Amino acid sequence: MEIEKILNRIEIFDKPSKIDISIENLTKLHESYILNVPYENLDFVFKKEFSVNILKIYEKIVCNNRGGICYESNTLFMYLLKNLGFDVQMIFAKVEDITYIGADYPHLALLVRIENKEYLVDVANGQNVRVPLCLNEDKIVKSEGIEYKLKKINEEEFALMYNHKYRSWQTRYIFTKEKREVSDFSCVFENTKNYQQFSNHAPLLVTKALEDGRVTLTDETMTYKKDKEKRVWEISLENRAEVLRDYFNIEI
């Protein structure tokens, strides 16, 4: 696996040796990943083999120009960060909206430490905050018309909060800083019964951020948002492959 090829996949063409450890570079990497690698669960919908093995994730996302769910994209992103010299670990989160992940599946996110500060990093949660959030700062950031901030619940738990259209703050997910490993979640999908149960009920979701919007494919609809423009149209099974190719550069 080549770090330079992962960087090129997310449209960063700097040499790995030129990327130093800084919040500025972490933010650049985070944003570039989200803009180039979609969140998608096509393997579940099409009943394809799913794996959290880093070699297979690399082949899928980097070599085959696909996207992935949190277990894939955040695993690959951690591999990239570690090889660039960042202090990073996996963490689990409990997601409030379980439509696409299921009640029994923890969400995988990352915790990065830079100069005695800790940052929540998540490149695979669909429409979500686009930059790292510092656990030690009371800061509000905005993306796609939604405000985000972190809230400390107690000594162990933190919440990622969001505020859509200035209605009220709601919880996106709750997480702790407990370090996790691939072995903590690999068994979930290696279990044939678990995989079949999840894939039989998972609705299709393919979504990718744009510089000033988002494009999203679900089972029956396509949504394109750019600036103040929003278009929604129906999608049939017959033209799904065409939509994936034209809007996400994915060949199935």
Side-chain angles (χ1 to χ4, degrees), residues 55-73:
L55 292 173
K56 292 186 177 181
I57 294 173
Y58 176 89
E59 180 182 8
K60 176 182 177 179
I61 296 178
V62 179
C63 300
N64 296 333
N65 207 56
R66 289 278 305 278
I69 64 170
C70 65
Y71 302 113
E72 298 167 299
S73 272

Side-chain angles (χ1 to χ4, degrees), residues 94-111:
K94 179 176 175 55
V95 180
E96 292 295 305
D97 181 359
I98 60 174
T99 303
Y100 294 99
I101 193 169
D104 298 325
Y105 304 93
H107 174 64
L108 180 67
L110 304 175
L111 186 71

Side-chain angles (χ1 to χ4, degrees), residues 1-251:
M1 294 188 296
E2 298 180 38
I3 298 302
E4 197 163 336
K5 284 188 176 181
I6 301 176
L7 290 171
N8 292 346
R9 172 69 177 89
I10 62 174
E11 298 291 315
I12 291 180
F13 301 102
D14 301 327
K15 293 292 184 182
S17 59
K18 299 295 184 181
I19 302 175
D20 59 5
I21 309 305
S22 67
I23 184 55
E24 290 78 18
N25 280 332
L26 178 62
T27 300
K28 178 181 177 181
L29 291 163
H30 191 288
E31 291 180 320
S32 296
Y33 194 102
I34 287 175
L35 288 170
N36 289 281
V37 180
Y39 177 97
E40 52 107 328
N41 62 358
L42 288 164
D43 286 350
F44 293 123
V45 175
F46 296 139
K47 307 294 189 295
K48 291 190 174 184
E49 178 187 359
F50 178 84
S51 175
V52 294
N53 178 283
I54 185 62
L55 292 173
K56 292 186 177 181
I57 294 173
Y58 176 89
E59 180 182 8
K60 176 182 177 179
I61 296 178
V62 179
C63 300
N64 296 333
N65 207 56
R66 289 278 305 278
I69 64 170
C70 65
Y71 302 113
E72 298 167 299
S73 272
N74 279 323
T75 296
L76 179 66
F77 197 59
M78 187 179 89
Y79 178 84
L80 172 63
L81 292 180
K82 276 201 166 191
N83 279 274
L84 292 174
F86 285 88
D87 180 1
V88 54
Q89 69 180 58
M90 292 176 172
I91 58 174
F92 277 171
K94 179 176 175 55
V95 180
E96 292 295 305
D97 181 359
I98 60 174
T99 303
Y100 294 99
I101 193 169
D104 298 325
Y105 304 93
H107 174 64
L108 180 67
L110 304 175
L111 186 71
V112 178
R113 296 179 178 87
I114 301 176
E115 296 179 350
N116 298 317
K117 290 186 177 181
E118 296 173 310
Y119 296 88
L120 172 69
V121 171
D122 190 352
V123 296
N125 193 226
Q127 185 175 4
N128 193 26
V129 60
R130 296 190 179 193
V131 297
L133 286 179
C134 183
L135 273 63
N136 315 103
E137 297 176 359
D138 185 18
K139 182 179 180 181
I140 296 175
V141 299
K142 188 175 182 179
S143 64
E144 299 180 55
I146 303 175
E147 292 183 321
Y148 296 93
K149 69 177 181 179
L150 292 179
K151 175 183 176 182
K152 187 173 183 179
I153 300 174
N154 52 49
E155 290 304 314
E156 296 183 351
E157 295 181 314
F158 296 81
L160 173 61
M161 310 293 295
Y162 71 97
N163 181 13
H164 186 217
K165 295 183 178 179
Y166 306 103
R167 291 171 181 168
S168 64
W169 286 100
Q170 299 179 63
T171 301
R172 182 64 178 263
Y173 56 65
I174 295 172
F175 65 95
T176 71
K177 297 193 290 184
E178 181 180 357
K179 185 177 181 180
R180 297 293 186 169
E181 305 290 345
V182 173
S183 58
D184 291 324
F185 57 87
S186 60
C187 59
V188 172
F189 297 105
E190 288 172 356
N191 182 302
T192 303
K193 183 178 179 181
N194 284 349
Y195 177 82
Q196 289 178 344
Q197 182 180 25
F198 184 80
S199 60
N200 286 339
H201 296 89
L204 173 66
L205 178 63
V206 185
T207 184
K208 187 175 75 169
L210 306 174
E211 286 284 358
D212 46 10
R214 175 168 295 276
V215 58
T216 301
L217 172 67
T218 60
D219 284 309
E220 299 177 347
T221 62
M222 180 72 180
T223 304
Y224 182 90
K225 298 179 183 178
K226 184 177 176 63
D227 294 324
K228 295 181 179 181
E229 173 193 4
K230 179 179 179 180
R231 292 187 290 128
V232 181
W233 63 96
E234 293 185 358
I235 296 295
S236 65
L237 286 175
E238 289 73 21
N239 65 349
R240 184 182 282 172
E242 179 183 356
V243 169
L244 287 169
R245 183 190 66 237
D246 293 348
Y247 288 91
F248 302 96
N249 199 25
I250 292 177
E251 298 279 355

